[in-house]
Amino acid sequence: MNQRHDAPTAESVAPARLAQSRDEGALDGQGLVLQDLSVLRGGHPVLDMPGTLRAHRGELTALLGPNGAGKSTLLQTIAGLLPASGQLCLDGEALASLTPRERAARIGYLPQLSEGGAMLEVFESLLLARRLAGHLDEQANLHHCEALVSALELAPLASRRLGQLSGGQRQRVAIAQALVREPALLMLDEPTSALDLHFQLAVLDWLGRDARDRQRIVIVALHDLSLAARHAAQLWLLDRGRLAASGPPREVLSVERLREVYAIEARVDWPEDGSPPAIVALRAL
Ligand SMILES: Nc1ncnc2c1ncn2[C@@H]1O[C@H](COP(=O)(O)OP(=O)(O)OP(=O)(O)O)[C@@H](O)[C@H]1O
């Protein structure tokens, strides 16, 4: 197997040659800013991201990279679940200075696998998630949950218990549970992994629209490059714990870069008529 797909090691996590240049050095201002971030797991370096990276309000940012590249580690670090060195600022405020309660109110994080609450009904679970996030106006809560149920096509499931749902249905409810809290920063780790083609498109459409309408920062870890290219305003591409590239999809997703990072031969089509891009993996190298 190609060495590129090996887990990062102390040797492979060298300082990234390509540091993000947008907003270099700016920790203030709107959005999420990461600066000189590095993370150890089990005593080994798994993320090393020198430079400054910003996720903007109102935009969907897709986090890409092969297995073991560090996507979940990065999201867990931003969520405050892993210690890191470097700076993390949300709308100009250091995340480290927030209390756990403040952090929980402002940051929503949906892990790759989320279980629990099997006996709760879908609608009840949304109301509970919203109340736990500190939204106490019951009328507004009902209204908000109903709107979300409709938007994510959950109405037929509203009174079903979570434990009785299929994997894809459960995943859609988990996305709704994260959204219903209305965090300023929403991070979802592979939220479309169990969804059929209709819901992959519908959910990402909705997340993009929600980011724009509510000026939310949304970061989504994805493996599907076509989905990322179609829905994200910018991409962060990780490779063995380093930032290989960041920027608009058309700049990041070149045939050469996919060969280098994913060890694949790919076809990358950006239709001139503005229709969605198609990225097809042709062969593993
Ligand atoms: N609990 C842990 N303890 C020690 N090392 C870990 C732990 N979890 C992950 N790692 C290591 O951290 C590195 C990054 O893993 P991470 O889960 O962030 O990758 P990923 O990009 O999300 O991968 P995938 O696409 O497979 O989900 C890998 O080398 C992995 O082996």
Side-chain angles (χ1 to χ4, degrees):
M1 185 189 281
N2 192 302
Q3 246 190 339
R4 290 185 188 293
H5 286 172
D6 290 351
T9 63
E11 291 71 37
S12 71
V13 182
R17 283 180 295 279
L18 184 66
Q20 165 72 324
S21 56
R22 204 165 155 188
D23 295 317
E24 193 76 44
L27 287 171
D28 51 2
Q30 295 279 293
L32 172 75
V33 182
L34 317 179
Q35 195 169 68
D36 298 331
L37 197 65
S38 63
V39 179
L40 302 178
R41 293 195 92 154
H44 299 287
V46 291
L47 266 188
D48 190 354
M49 300 171 63
T52 304
L53 202 54
R54 184 184 294 264
H56 297 264
R57 274 188 175 268
E59 278 187 8
L60 195 145
T61 296
L63 181 57
L64 306 178
N67 291 141
K71 302 178 297 297
S72 300
T73 298
L74 180 57
L75 298 185
Q76 288 164 13
T77 303
I78 298 167
L81 302 174
L82 290 174
S85 57
Q87 302 286 332
L88 288 151
C89 286
L90 180 58
D91 295 337
E93 236 179 312
L95 289 183
S97 70
L98 301 180
T99 63
R101 183 184 286 266
E102 287 169 338
R103 197 185 268 254
R106 292 171 66 176
I107 301 177
Y109 168 57
L110 178 63
Q112 224 167 333
L113 301 169
S114 58
E115 293 293 335
M119 294 304 286
L120 282 176
E121 290 180 4
V122 168
F123 196 80
E124 195 184 2
S125 78
L126 297 182
L127 273 177
L128 183 64
R130 193 167 162 84
R131 288 187 197 122
L132 287 175
H135 299 281
L136 301 176
D137 178 340
E138 279 305 296
Q139 204 55 39
N141 287 350
L142 275 175
H143 180 73
H144 193 87
C145 291
E146 280 164 5
L148 200 54
V149 159
S150 161
L152 292 179
E153 302 177 50
L154 290 169
L157 308 175
S159 52
R160 296 263 295 275
R161 291 192 197 284
L162 297 181
Q164 297 169 336
L165 301 180
S166 75
Q169 291 169 338
R170 181 74 189 85
Q171 191 165 40
R172 257 185 307 136
V173 174
I175 294 166
Q177 287 169 344
L179 274 163
V180 82
R181 303 171 61 249
E182 292 204 85
L185 165 62
L186 177 62
M187 298 181 292
L188 306 107
D189 200 344
E190 298 185 31
T192 56
S193 59
L195 301 186
D196 65 34
L197 295 176
H198 168 83
F199 283 117
Q200 288 178 23
L201 293 176
V203 161
L204 282 169
D205 261 346
W206 203 86
L207 286 171
R209 210 169 329 119
D210 176 73
R212 278 193 301 281
D213 293 350
R214 304 197 177 243
Q215 287 301 294
R216 215 186 300 287
I217 307 157
V218 180
I219 305 177
V220 183
L222 289 174
H223 278 299
D224 186 320
L225 303 181
S226 291
L227 272 183
R230 177 181 181 139
H231 294 276
Q234 69 159 339
L235 308 181
W236 294 350
L237 176 62
L238 294 181
D239 182 15
R240 290 166 289 169
R242 295 170 298 173
L243 184 69
S246 65
R250 203 168 180 140
E251 287 174 17
V252 170
L253 295 175
S254 64
V255 168
E256 296 71 30
R257 191 165 280 126
L258 296 183
R259 185 181 303 121
E260 199 176 308
V261 172
Y262 284 95
I264 55 165
E265 189 183 313
R267 203 180 66 228
V268 179
D269 290 328
W270 296 93
E272 291 308 323
D273 64 3
S275 51
I279 296 154
V280 183
L282 300 172
R283 193 164 69 90
L285 298 172

